[in-house]
Coordinates of all heavy atoms in Angstrom, one line a residue:
M1 N 0.9 -1.2 0.0 CA 0.0 0.0 0.0 C 0.9 1.2 0.0 O 1.8 1.4 0.8 CB -0.9 0.0 1.2 CG -1.9 1.1 1.3 SD -3.0 0.9 2.7 CE -4.4 0.0 2.0
T2 N 0.6 2.1 -0.9 CA 1.5 3.3 -1.0 C 1.1 4.3 0.1 O 0.1 4.2 0.7 CB 1.3 4.0 -2.4 OG1 -0.1 4.5 -2.4 CG2 1.5 3.0 -3.5
L3 N 2.0 5.2 0.3 CA 1.8 6.3 1.3 C 0.6 7.1 0.9 O -0.2 7.4 1.8 CB 3.1 7.1 1.3 CG 3.1 8.2 2.4 CD1 2.9 7.6 3.8 CD2 4.4 9.0 2.4
K4 N 0.4 7.4 -0.3 CA -0.7 8.2 -0.8 C -2.0 7.4 -0.4 O -3.0 8.0 0.1 CB -0.6 8.5 -2.3 CG -1.8 9.3 -2.7 CD -1.6 9.7 -4.2 CE -2.7 10.6 -4.6 NZ -2.6 11.0 -6.0
S5 N -2.1 6.1 -0.7 CA -3.3 5.4 -0.4 C -3.5 5.3 1.1 O -4.7 5.3 1.5 CB -3.3 4.0 -1.1 OG -2.2 3.2 -0.6
Q6 N -2.5 5.2 1.8 CA -2.6 5.1 3.3 C -3.2 6.4 3.8 O -4.0 6.5 4.7 CB -1.2 4.8 4.0 CG -0.8 3.4 3.8 CD 0.6 3.2 4.4 OE1 1.4 4.1 4.6 NE2 0.9 1.9 4.7
L7 N -2.7 7.5 3.3 CA -3.2 8.9 3.7 C -4.6 9.0 3.3 O -5.4 9.5 4.1 CB -2.3 10.0 3.0 CG -1.0 10.2 3.6 CD1 -0.2 11.2 2.8 CD2 -1.1 10.7 5.1
E8 N -5.0 8.5 2.1 CA -6.4 8.6 1.7 C -7.3 7.8 2.7 O -8.4 8.2 3.0 CB -6.6 8.1 0.3 CG -6.1 9.0 -0.8 CD -6.8 10.4 -0.8 OE1 -8.1 10.3 -0.6 OE2 -6.2 11.4 -1.0
L9 N -6.8 6.6 3.0 CA -7.6 5.7 3.9 C -7.7 6.4 5.3 O -8.8 6.4 5.9 CB -6.8 4.4 4.1 CG -7.5 3.4 5.0 CD1 -8.9 3.0 4.4 CD2 -6.6 2.1 5.1
L10 N -6.6 7.0 5.8 CA -6.7 7.7 7.1 C -7.6 8.9 7.0 O -8.4 9.2 7.9 CB -5.3 8.2 7.5 CG -4.4 7.2 8.1 CD1 -3.0 7.8 8.3 CD2 -4.9 6.7 9.4
K11 N -7.6 9.6 5.9 CA -8.5 10.7 5.7 C -10.0 10.3 5.7 O -10.8 10.9 6.4 CB -8.2 11.4 4.4 CG -9.1 12.6 4.1 CD -8.7 13.2 2.7 CE -9.7 14.3 2.4 NZ -9.5 14.9 1.0
T12 N -10.2 9.2 5.1 CA -11.6 8.6 5.0 C -12.0 8.2 6.4 O -13.1 8.5 6.9 CB -11.7 7.4 4.1 OG1 -11.3 7.8 2.8 CG2 -13.1 6.8 4.0
E13 N -11.1 7.5 7.1 CA -11.4 7.1 8.5 C -11.7 8.3 9.4 O -12.6 8.3 10.3 CB -10.3 6.2 9.1 CG -10.3 4.8 8.4 CD -9.1 4.0 8.9 OE1 -8.4 4.4 9.8 OE2 -9.0 2.9 8.4
F14 N -10.8 9.3 9.3 CA -11.0 10.5 10.1 C -12.3 11.2 9.8 O -13.0 11.6 10.7 CB -9.8 11.5 9.8 CG -10.0 12.8 10.5 CD1 -9.7 12.9 11.8 CD2 -10.5 13.9 9.8 CE1 -9.8 14.1 12.5 CE2 -10.6 15.1 10.5 CZ -10.3 15.2 11.8
T15 N -12.7 11.3 8.5 CA -14.0 11.9 8.2 C -15.1 11.1 8.7 O -16.1 11.7 9.3 CB -14.1 12.0 6.6 OG1 -13.0 12.7 6.1 CG2 -15.4 12.6 6.2
T16 N -15.0 9.8 8.7 CA -16.1 8.9 9.2 C -16.2 9.1 10.7 O -17.3 9.3 11.3 CB -15.8 7.4 8.9 OG1 -15.7 7.3 7.5 CG2 -16.8 6.5 9.5
L17 N -15.1 9.1 11.4 CA -15.1 9.3 12.9 C -15.6 10.7 13.2 O -16.4 10.9 14.2 CB -13.7 9.2 13.5 CG -13.2 7.7 13.6 CD1 -11.8 7.7 14.1 CD2 -14.1 7.0 14.7
K18 N -15.2 11.7 12.5 CA -15.7 13.1 12.7 C -17.2 13.1 12.6 O -17.9 13.7 13.4 CB -15.0 14.0 11.8 CG -15.4 15.5 12.0 CD -14.6 16.3 11.0 CE -15.1 17.8 11.1 NZ -14.5 18.6 10.0
T19 N -17.7 12.5 11.6 CA -19.2 12.5 11.3 C -19.9 11.8 12.5 O -20.9 12.2 12.9 CB -19.5 11.8 10.0 OG1 -18.8 12.5 8.9 CG2 -21.0 11.7 9.7
K20 N -19.4 10.6 12.9 CA -20.0 9.9 14.0 C -20.0 10.7 15.3 O -21.0 10.7 16.0 CB -19.2 8.6 14.2 CG -19.5 7.5 13.2 CD -18.7 6.2 13.5 CE -19.0 5.1 12.5 NZ -18.3 3.9 12.9
I21 N -18.9 11.4 15.5 CA -18.8 12.2 16.8 C -19.8 13.3 16.7 O -20.5 13.6 17.6 CB -17.3 12.7 17.0 CG1 -16.5 11.5 17.4 CG2 -17.3 13.8 18.0 CD1 -15.0 11.8 17.4
T22 N -19.8 14.0 15.5 CA -20.7 15.1 15.4 C -22.2 14.7 15.5 O -23.0 15.4 16.2 CB -20.5 15.8 14.0 OG1 -19.2 16.2 13.8 CG2 -21.4 16.9 13.8
T23 N -22.5 13.5 14.9 CA -23.9 13.0 15.0 C -24.2 12.7 16.5 O -25.3 13.1 17.0 CB -24.0 11.7 14.2 OG1 -23.7 12.1 12.8 CG2 -25.4 11.2 14.3
K24 N -23.3 12.1 17.2 CA -23.5 11.7 18.6 C -23.7 13.0 19.5 O -24.6 13.0 20.3 CB -22.3 10.9 19.1 CG -22.6 10.2 20.4 CD -23.4 9.0 20.1 CE -23.5 8.1 21.3 NZ -24.5 7.0 21.2
L25 N -22.8 14.0 19.2 CA -23.0 15.2 20.0 C -24.3 15.9 19.7 O -24.9 16.5 20.6 CB -21.8 16.1 19.6 CG -20.4 15.8 20.2 CD1 -19.3 16.7 19.7 CD2 -20.4 15.8 21.7
T26 N -24.7 15.9 18.5 CA -26.0 16.5 18.1 C -27.1 15.8 18.8 O -28.1 16.4 19.3 CB -26.2 16.5 16.6 OG1 -25.1 17.2 16.0 CG2 -27.5 17.1 16.2
Q27 N -27.1 14.5 18.8 CA -28.1 13.7 19.5 C -28.1 14.0 21.0 O -29.2 14.2 21.6 CB -27.9 12.2 19.3 CG -28.1 11.7 17.9 CD -27.7 10.3 17.7 OE1 -26.9 9.7 18.5 NE2 -28.2 9.7 16.6
K28 N -27.0 14.1 21.6 CA -26.9 14.4 23.0 C -27.4 15.8 23.3 O -28.1 16.0 24.3 CB -25.5 14.2 23.5 CG -25.0 12.8 23.6 CD -23.8 12.6 24.4 CE -23.4 11.2 24.5 NZ -24.1 10.4 25.5
D29 N -27.1 16.7 22.4 CA -27.5 18.1 22.6 C -29.1 18.1 22.5 O -29.7 18.8 23.3 CB -26.9 19.0 21.5 CG -27.2 20.4 21.7 OD1 -27.0 20.9 22.8 OD2 -27.7 21.1 20.7
N30 N -29.6 17.4 21.5 CA -31.1 17.3 21.4 C -31.7 16.7 22.6 O -32.8 17.2 23.1 CB -31.5 16.5 20.2 CG -31.2 17.3 18.9 OD1 -31.1 18.5 18.9 ND2 -31.1 16.6 17.8
T31 N -31.1 15.7 23.2 CA -31.6 15.1 24.4 C -31.6 16.1 25.6 O -32.6 16.2 26.3 CB -30.8 13.8 24.8 OG1 -30.9 12.9 23.7 CG2 -31.3 13.2 26.0
I32 N -30.5 16.8 25.7 CA -30.4 17.8 26.8 C -31.5 18.9 26.6 O -32.1 19.3 27.5 CB -29.0 18.4 26.8 CG1 -28.0 17.4 27.3 CG2 -28.9 19.7 27.6 CD1 -26.6 17.7 27.1
T33 N -31.7 19.3 25.3 CA -32.7 20.3 25.1 C -34.1 19.8 25.4 O -34.9 20.6 26.1 CB -32.6 20.8 23.6 OG1 -31.3 21.3 23.3 CG2 -33.7 21.8 23.3
Q34 N -34.4 18.6 25.1 CA -35.7 18.0 25.4 C -35.9 17.9 26.9 O -36.9 18.2 27.4 CB -35.9 16.7 24.7 CG -36.0 16.7 23.2 CD -36.0 15.3 22.6 OE1 -35.7 14.3 23.2 NE2 -36.2 15.3 21.3
T35 N -34.8 17.5 27.6 CA -34.9 17.4 29.0 C -35.1 18.7 29.7 O -35.9 18.9 30.6 CB -33.6 16.7 29.6 OG1 -33.4 15.4 29.0 CG2 -33.6 16.6 31.1
N36 N -34.4 19.7 29.2 CA -34.5 21.1 29.8 C -36.0 21.6 29.5 O -36.6 22.2 30.4 CB -33.5 22.0 29.1 CG -32.2 21.9 29.7 OD1 -32.0 21.4 30.8 ND2 -31.2 22.3 29.0
T37 N -36.5 21.3 28.4 CA -37.9 21.7 28.1 C -38.9 21.1 29.0 O -39.8 21.7 29.6 CB -38.2 21.4 26.6 OG1 -37.3 22.1 25.8 CG2 -39.7 21.8 26.3
K38 N -38.7 19.8 29.2 CA -39.6 19.1 30.2 C -39.4 19.6 31.6 O -40.4 19.7 32.3 CB -39.3 17.6 30.1 CG -39.7 16.9 28.9 CD -39.3 15.4 28.8 CE -39.7 14.8 27.5 NZ -39.3 13.4 27.5
L39 N -38.2 19.9 32.0 CA -38.0 20.4 33.3 C -38.6 21.8 33.5 O -39.2 22.1 34.5 CB -36.5 20.5 33.6 CG -35.8 19.2 34.0 CD1 -34.3 19.4 34.0 CD2 -36.3 18.7 35.3
Q40 N -38.5 22.6 32.5 CA -39.2 23.9 32.5 C -40.7 23.8 32.6 O -41.3 24.5 33.4 CB -38.8 24.8 31.3 CG -37.4 25.2 31.3 CD -37.0 25.9 29.9 OE1 -37.7 25.8 28.9 NE2 -35.8 26.5 29.9
E41 N -41.3 22.9 31.9 CA -42.7 22.7 32.0 C -43.1 22.2 33.3 O -44.1 22.6 33.9 CB -43.1 21.7 30.9 CG -43.1 22.2 29.5 CD -43.3 21.1 28.4 OE1 -43.6 20.0 28.8 OE2 -43.2 21.4 27.2
S42 N -42.3 21.3 33.9 CA -42.6 20.7 35.2 C -42.5 21.8 36.2 O -43.3 21.9 37.2 CB -41.6 19.6 35.5 OG -41.8 19.1 36.8
N43 N -41.4 22.7 36.1 CA -41.3 23.8 37.1 C -42.5 24.7 37.0 O -42.9 25.2 38.0 CB -40.0 24.5 36.8 CG -38.8 23.8 37.3 OD1 -38.9 22.9 38.2 ND2 -37.6 24.2 36.8
R44 N -42.9 25.0 35.8 CA -44.1 25.9 35.7 C -45.3 25.3 36.4 O -46.1 26.0 37.1 CB -44.4 26.2 34.2 CG -43.8 27.4 33.7 CD -44.2 27.8 32.3 NE -43.1 27.6 31.4 CZ -42.9 26.7 30.4 NH1 -43.9 25.9 30.1 NH2 -41.9 26.6 29.7
K45 N -45.5 24.0 36.2 CA -46.6 23.3 36.8 C -46.5 23.4 38.3 O -47.5 23.6 39.0 CB -46.8 21.9 36.3 CG -47.3 21.8 34.9 CD -47.3 20.3 34.5 CE -47.7 20.2 33.0 NZ -47.7 18.8 32.6
L46 N -45.3 23.2 38.8 CA -45.1 23.2 40.3 C -45.3 24.6 40.8 O -45.9 24.8 41.9 CB -43.6 22.8 40.6 CG -43.4 21.3 40.6 CD1 -41.9 21.0 40.7 CD2 -44.1 20.6 41.7
E47 N -44.9 25.6 40.1 CA -45.1 27.0 40.5 C -46.6 27.3 40.6 O -47.0 28.0 41.5 CB -44.4 28.0 39.6 CG -42.9 28.0 39.7 CD -42.1 28.8 38.7 OE1 -42.8 29.3 37.7 OE2 -40.9 28.9 38.7
L48 N -47.3 26.9 39.6 CA -48.8 27.1 39.6 C -49.4 26.4 40.8 O -50.3 26.9 41.4 CB -49.4 26.6 38.3 CG -49.1 27.5 37.0 CD1 -49.7 26.8 35.8 CD2 -49.7 28.8 37.2
S49 N -49.0 25.2 41.0 CA -49.5 24.4 42.2 C -49.2 25.1 43.5 O -50.1 25.2 44.4 CB -48.9 23.0 42.2 OG -49.4 22.2 41.2
V50 N -48.0 25.6 43.6 CA -47.6 26.3 44.9 C -48.5 27.6 45.0 O -49.0 27.9 46.1 CB -46.1 26.7 44.8 CG1 -45.8 27.7 45.9 CG2 -45.3 25.4 45.0
K51 N -48.7 28.3 43.9 CA -49.5 29.5 44.0 C -51.0 29.1 44.3 O -51.6 29.8 45.2 CB -49.5 30.2 42.6 CG -50.3 31.5 42.6 CD -50.2 32.1 41.2 CE -51.0 33.4 41.2 NZ -51.0 34.1 39.9
E52 N -51.5 28.1 43.7 CA -52.8 27.6 44.0 C -53.0 27.2 45.4 O -53.9 27.5 46.1 CB -53.2 26.5 43.1 CG -54.7 26.0 43.2 CD -55.0 24.9 42.2 OE1 -54.4 24.8 41.2 OE2 -55.9 24.2 42.6
N53 N -52.0 26.5 45.9 CA -52.0 26.0 47.3 C -52.0 27.2 48.3 O -52.6 27.2 49.3 CB -50.8 25.1 47.6 CG -51.0 23.7 47.0 OD1 -52.1 23.3 46.6 ND2 -50.0 22.9 46.9
S54 N -51.2 28.2 47.9 CA -51.1 29.4 48.8 C -52.4 30.1 48.8 O -52.9 30.5 49.9 CB -50.0 30.3 48.2 OG -50.0 31.5 48.9
E55 N -53.1 30.2 47.7 CA -54.4 30.9 47.6 C -55.4 30.0 48.4 O -56.2 30.6 49.2 CB -54.8 31.0 46.2 CG -54.0 32.0 45.4 CD -54.3 32.1 43.9 OE1 -55.1 31.3 43.4 OE2 -53.7 32.9 43.2
N56 N -55.4 28.7 48.3 CA -56.3 27.9 49.0 C -56.0 28.0 50.5 O -57.0 28.0 51.3 CB -56.1 26.4 48.6 CG -56.7 26.2 47.2 OD1 -57.5 26.9 46.7 ND2 -56.3 25.1 46.6
E57 N -54.8 28.1 50.9 CA -54.5 28.3 52.3 C -55.0 29.6 52.9 O -55.6 29.6 54.0 CB -52.9 28.3 52.5 CG -52.5 28.2 53.9 CD -51.0 28.2 54.1 OE1 -50.3 27.8 53.1 OE2 -50.5 28.4 55.2
K58 N -54.9 30.6 52.1 CA -55.5 31.9 52.5 C -57.0 31.8 52.7 O -57.6 32.3 53.7 CB -55.2 33.0 51.5 CG -53.7 33.4 51.5 CD -53.4 34.5 50.4 CE -52.0 34.8 50.4 NZ -51.6 35.7 49.3
V59 N -57.7 31.1 51.8 CA -59.1 31.0 51.9 C -59.5 30.1 53.2 O -60.4 30.5 53.9 CB -59.7 30.3 50.6 CG1 -61.1 29.8 50.8 CG2 -59.6 31.2 49.4
L60 N -58.7 29.1 53.4 CA -58.9 28.3 54.6 C -58.7 29.1 55.9 O -59.5 28.9 56.8 CB -58.0 27.0 54.6 CG -58.5 25.9 53.6 CD1 -57.4 24.9 53.6 CD2 -59.8 25.4 54.0
E61 N -57.7 29.9 55.9 CA -57.4 30.7 57.0 C -58.5 31.7 57.3 O -59.0 31.9 58.4 CB -56.1 31.5 56.9 CG -54.9 30.6 57.0 CD -53.6 31.3 56.7 OE1 -53.6 32.5 56.2 OE2 -52.5 30.7 56.8
Q62 N -59.1 32.3 56.2 CA -60.2 33.2 56.4 C -61.4 32.4 56.9 O -62.1 32.9 57.8 CB -60.5 33.9 55.0 CG -61.6 34.8 55.0 CD -61.4 36.0 56.0 OE1 -60.2 36.5 56.1 NE2 -62.4 36.5 56.6
L63 N -61.7 31.3 56.3 CA -62.8 30.5 56.8 C -62.7 30.1 58.3 O -63.6 30.2 59.1 CB -63.0 29.2 56.0 CG -63.6 29.3 54.6 CD1 -63.5 28.0 53.9 CD2 -65.0 29.8 54.7
L64 N -61.5 29.7 58.7 CA -61.2 29.4 60.1 C -61.5 30.6 61.0 O -62.1 30.5 62.0 CB -59.8 28.9 60.2 CG -59.3 28.5 61.6 CD1 -60.2 27.3 62.1 CD2 -57.9 28.2 61.6
K65 N -61.0 31.8 60.5 CA -61.2 33.0 61.3 C -62.7 33.3 61.4 O -63.2 33.6 62.5 CB -60.5 34.2 60.6 CG -60.7 35.5 61.2 CD -60.0 36.6 60.5 CE -60.3 37.9 61.1 NZ -59.7 39.0 60.2
E66 N -63.5 33.1 60.3 CA -64.9 33.3 60.4 C -65.6 32.3 61.3 O -66.5 32.7 62.0 CB -65.5 33.3 59.0 CG -65.1 34.5 58.1 CD -65.5 34.4 56.7 OE1 -66.4 33.5 56.4 OE2 -65.0 35.1 55.8
F67 N -65.2 31.1 61.3 CA -65.8 30.1 62.2 C -65.5 30.4 63.6 O -66.4 30.3 64.5 CB -65.2 28.7 61.8 CG -66.0 28.0 60.7 CD1 -65.3 27.5 59.6 CD2 -67.3 27.8 60.8 CE1 -66.0 26.8 58.6 CE2 -68.0 27.1 59.8 CZ -67.3 26.7 58.7
K68 N -64.3 30.9 63.9 CA -64.0 31.3 65.3 C -64.9 32.4 65.7 O -65.3 32.4 66.9 CB -62.5 31.6 65.4 CG -61.6 30.5 65.4 CD -60.1 30.9 65.5 CE -59.2 29.7 65.5 NZ -57.8 30.1 65.6
E69 N -65.1 33.4 64.8 CA -65.9 34.5 65.2 C -67.4 34.0 65.4 O -68.0 34.5 66.3 CB -65.9 35.5 64.1 CG -64.6 36.3 64.0 CD -64.5 37.2 62.8 OE1 -65.4 37.3 62.0 OE2 -63.4 37.8 62.6
L70 N -67.8 33.1 64.6 CA -69.2 32.6 64.8 C -69.3 31.8 66.1 O -70.3 32.0 66.8 CB -69.5 31.6 63.6 CG -70.0 32.3 62.3 CD1 -70.2 31.2 61.2 CD2 -71.3 33.0 62.5
I71 N -68.3 31.1 66.4 CA -68.3 30.3 67.7 C -68.4 31.3 68.9 O -69.1 31.1 69.8 CB -67.1 29.4 67.8 CG1 -67.3 28.2 66.8 CG2 -66.9 28.9 69.2 CD1 -66.1 27.4 66.7
Q72 N -67.6 32.4 68.8 CA -67.6 33.4 69.9 C -69.0 34.0 70.0 O -69.5 34.3 71.1 CB -66.5 34.4 69.6 CG -65.1 33.9 69.9 CD -64.1 35.0 69.7 OE1 -64.4 36.0 69.1 NE2 -62.9 34.7 70.1
Q73 N -69.6 34.3 68.8 CA -70.9 34.9 68.9 C -72.0 34.0 69.5 O -72.9 34.4 70.1 CB -71.3 35.3 67.4 CG -70.6 36.5 66.9 CD -70.9 36.8 65.4 OE1 -71.8 36.2 64.8 NE2 -70.3 37.8 64.9
L74 N -71.8 32.7 69.2 CA -72.8 31.7 69.7 C -72.6 31.5 71.2 O -73.5 31.2 71.9 CB -72.6 30.4 69.0 CG -73.1 30.4 67.5 CD1 -72.8 29.1 66.9 CD2 -74.6 30.7 67.4
N75 N -71.4 31.7 71.7 CA -71.1 31.5 73.1 C -71.5 32.7 73.8 O -72.1 33.3 74.5 CB -69.7 31.3 73.4 CG -69.3 29.9 73.0 OD1 -70.1 29.0 72.9 ND2 -68.0 29.7 72.7

């Protein structure tokens, strides 16, 4: 095998490896992007739940206060 053909073979192998690495990195990047998107959606849902729970807690506190007042009035 001549030096030129060996260089051509190395060039081909290098190109193949480069393509494989680039493809793998792109796939991993896409996976990370998808995971980040899912995490952001999940965080938004959690924030909404926390807000809703906080609002519900305020309503319950107000109801408790009103019940206490009613009990005092009945006594």
Side-chain angles (χ1 to χ4, degrees):
M1 186 177 264
T2 67
L3 185 58
K4 184 176 181 179
S5 63
Q6 286 177 340
L7 284 174
E8 286 297 322
L9 182 62
L10 281 174
K11 181 182 174 186
T12 303
E13 288 177 2
F14 176 78
T15 303
T16 301
L17 281 173
K18 183 179 173 186
T19 302
K20 285 181 178 181
I21 290 171
T22 302
T23 300
K24 195 76 169 173
L25 286 172
T26 301
Q27 289 171 344
K28 288 192 180 283
D29 188 52
N30 287 340
T31 300
I32 289 170
T33 300
Q34 290 173 354
T35 301
N36 282 339
T37 300
K38 288 177 183 177
L39 284 171
Q40 288 172 348
E41 290 172 5
S42 179
N43 282 342
R44 267 188 247 116
K45 288 178 183 178
L46 280 171
E47 288 171 358
L48 287 174
S49 289
V50 166
K51 183 178 178 183
E52 184 179 335
N53 286 344
S54 176
E55 291 171 359
N56 287 341
E57 186 177 346
K58 288 177 185 176
V59 169
L60 285 172
E61 287 173 355
Q62 181 63 33
L63 283 172
L64 181 62
K65 180 181 175 186
E66 290 175 13
F67 275 125
K68 284 181 179 179
E69 290 173 0
L70 277 173
I71 289 172
Q72 283 181 349
Q73 288 176 1
L74 289 173
N75 287 338

